[in-house]
Amino acid sequence: MTRRLAIASGRGRRSFPGAAPKHRSVYLHLPKCGGTSLSEAMYATVPVNQRIGVIDAVSTRRALAIEAFDKDDAFLCHEDLDTGQMVFDLRETMMLQHMAWDTMLIHGHVFWSDKAERHFGDTYKYVTMMRDPVARTVSNFRMAQRTGVVAGGMDEYLASDVAKRHARVFLRYLASRNDIPDADLPAAIELAKSRVEKFALIGFLDDIESFFSRYREIFGVSLRMSQLNSAPDRKPDIPQAEMEALRALCAPDLEIFEHARSLR
């Protein structure tokens, strides 16, 4: 419901024809990085006579479960589980369809796409928002507990494949693979870092004002962002040993994050 309200709110504030952004864009939404708030603000910059392509997370999971398994199940093809690559493949097809349709703004939890870059790289500018990977993973863990994707405490979580996927979100999204074996990590990290450099704009959750300023320079429109999608419960107290284990899992994302910050 919160996601639908965000979409409705952003679209409800859309401007009349004449105030369009200078460029078509893809907002590559990295989970738990302030994306709900940012997407609403971006929707509001698109005039009503231009298209917005929302590649919604829950509906794509359900649609794939129906198509692949004949079951209407929002968790069967969840991107944090073993079937995740399948849903990302579906989302890539949807993104390419929107690009072929000249959609002004495309937004979703999508992987970097070589096909999109090859065929539409001169047309679309990529935007994303990043956050400290350890804090981002803790937020993802809390959400996964609330939604039933994970059970148990931090110890059980750290031993799971879900934790590895959460801790390496930047790596997965930018290397375009839902699961990356340890032997492939060095090459995947370098690939992800090279793709970071292709973004027109990367924001950081601890410096929103700089992101707003750069967005206005690049796209010629201003963003006004409210605080949405905040977690309803208190942040958990995580023992030092578990925090160190979590930080070790996040090592690839920390390297990618620091590389992105160095480019500012």
Side-chain angles (χ1 to χ4, degrees):
M1 178 61 84
T2 300
R3 182 79 192 113
R4 291 177 181 174
L5 289 174
I7 293 171
S9 177
R11 286 178 167 170
R13 294 188 288 113
R14 291 172 67 180
S15 60
F16 288 101
K22 293 179 181 178
H23 310 284
R24 292 184 177 88
S25 63
V26 173
Y27 171 38
L28 195 154
H29 184 169
L30 296 166
K32 311 308 295 177
C33 291
T36 299
S37 304
L38 179 56
S39 63
E40 179 188 355
M42 292 178 73
Y43 297 160
T45 69
V46 179
V48 294
N49 64 323
Q50 296 280 355
R51 284 182 291 273
I52 297 173
V54 180
I55 304 175
D56 177 66
V58 176
S59 63
T60 52
R61 295 171 195 152
R62 289 178 60 196
L64 180 62
I66 292 168
E67 193 278 329
F69 301 102
D70 199 22
K71 293 183 179 179
D72 187 352
D73 186 332
F75 291 95
L76 185 58
C77 294
H78 197 289
E79 55 266 45
D80 292 340
L81 304 179
D82 292 343
T83 49
Q85 186 66 49
M86 297 169 66
V87 79
F88 281 114
D89 291 344
L90 171 63
R91 292 173 189 172
E92 180 183 34
T93 299
M94 294 174 67
M95 179 171 66
L96 292 170
Q97 184 267 331
H98 274 294
M99 289 177 160
W101 203 18
D102 295 326
T103 297
M104 174 59 74
L105 168 63
I106 303 167
H107 159 234
H109 293 303
V110 294
F111 282 171
W112 178 273
S113 168
D114 281 336
K115 291 177 183 176
E117 181 187 21
R118 188 158 56 248
H119 293 279
F120 300 100
D122 295 333
T123 305
Y124 281 86
K125 292 188 181 297
Y126 278 72
V127 176
T128 197
M129 181 74 70
M130 286 185 167
R131 176 186 185 184
D132 173 76
V134 177
R136 198 216 62 76
T137 304
V138 170
S139 181
N140 223 158
F141 164 65
R142 293 165 63 208
M143 182 177 184
Q145 277 189 317
R146 292 195 303 273
T147 58
V149 173
V150 300
M154 181 61 73
D155 280 339
E156 296 92 338
Y157 173 71
L158 287 171
S160 71
D161 289 336
V162 173
K164 184 178 290 187
R165 294 184 186 113
H166 284 172
R168 297 174 181 178
V169 157
F170 300 165
L171 179 66
R172 291 162 55 219
Y173 275 62
L174 295 172
S176 310
R177 296 168 63 185
N178 206 46
D179 290 293
I180 301 171
D182 288 348
D184 294 348
L185 282 178
I189 291 169
E190 291 308 309
L191 177 60
K193 288 162 65 175
S194 71
R195 287 173 172 171
V196 161
E197 297 169 6
K198 297 180 180 181
F199 278 75
L201 177 59
I202 295 178
F204 300 92
L205 206 56
D206 62 352
D207 190 9
I208 292 293
E209 291 306 317
S210 293
F211 176 83
F212 284 177
S213 177
R214 286 289 295 135
Y215 193 93
R216 187 166 53 248
E217 290 175 12
I218 294 169
F219 294 98
V221 291
S222 297
L223 298 175
R224 290 187 293 273
M225 192 166 85
S226 58
Q227 183 65 39
L228 298 175
N229 207 31
S230 56
D233 52 345
R234 186 178 64 87
K235 293 183 179 180
D237 295 321
I238 301 175
Q240 183 63 31
E242 292 179 346
M243 282 300 298
E244 290 176 1
L246 182 58
R247 189 171 183 84
L249 273 183
C250 290
D253 270 24
L254 285 164
E255 184 173 343
I256 295 163
F257 181 71
E258 291 305 323
H259 181 67
R261 292 180 73 91
S262 75
L263 298 174
R264 291 192 295 178

